[in-house]
Amino acid sequence: MHNKEFIEVYLRQKGASRTVVKPYPFLWHWLLKSNGKPCLFESPLKLFFKELFLGTVFWGGFMWLIVWRSQEPSINNLYMSLLFGFLSGLGLSLEVLYYSRKLKITSSWAEWLKEHDLAE
């Protein structure tokens, strides 16, 4: 088992959700097989803005492809995309904040790896 897999299993056993032990953005790290740090060690504010942007763009693009393309353009479509990005960003950042407090994680990713003898 590689360090990345071990860390994910370890954090899941401690009580973290599957979402916060994966690197963000989830899909890109999965496709590229990247060893990014888990969301748990990211700043909740930084994750909020990333998800606000990506959620808005992907939701708006998806909805345009499926539904809005056949409709007349409306500012409400933009508002709905922004609302989706805002709510998904808020949800992700609150989840990361909750689990980082629950697991008492106060150190950075590099410091946490050193504390647990898992330096990469």
Side-chain angles (χ1 to χ4, degrees):
M1 183 180 305
H2 299 292
N3 263 357
K4 179 183 169 189
E5 295 166 350
F6 176 76
I7 291 167
E8 288 179 14
V9 169
Y10 177 78
L11 289 172
R12 293 274 297 144
Q13 287 176 347
K14 291 289 186 181
S17 74
R18 182 175 294 155
T19 307
V20 298
V21 298
K22 300 285 184 188
Y24 185 85
F26 314 112
L27 181 62
W28 303 134
H29 286 286
W30 178 74
L31 288 173
L32 301 174
K33 305 292 186 215
S34 172
N35 279 339
K37 64 183 175 182
C39 287
L40 200 53
F41 295 93
E42 297 261 355
S43 162
L45 187 62
K46 181 180 171 182
L47 284 173
F48 171 76
F49 285 111
K50 280 183 177 179
E51 184 66 21
L52 174 67
F53 175 75
L54 290 175
T56 300
V57 168
F58 284 115
W59 175 263
F62 178 74
M63 289 301 290
W64 182 82
L65 284 173
I66 303 301
V67 178
W68 297 337
R69 185 170 38 169
S70 62
Q71 297 176 351
E72 193 171 314
S74 170
I75 193 70
N76 290 335
N77 298 346
L78 177 63
Y79 291 149
M80 287 191 301
S81 295
L82 284 170
L83 180 65
F84 177 82
F86 178 81
L87 292 176
S88 61
L90 184 65
L92 178 63
S93 61
L94 289 176
E95 184 178 15
V96 166
L97 192 60
Y98 170 76
Y99 282 111
S100 64
R101 287 187 178 169
K102 178 181 176 185
L103 299 175
K104 297 179 178 88
I105 294 176
T106 57
S107 57
S108 70
W109 175 237
E111 292 171 357
W112 188 86
L113 287 174
K114 285 180 186 175
E115 287 173 10
H116 293 84
D117 297 322
L118 297 169
E120 294 182 342

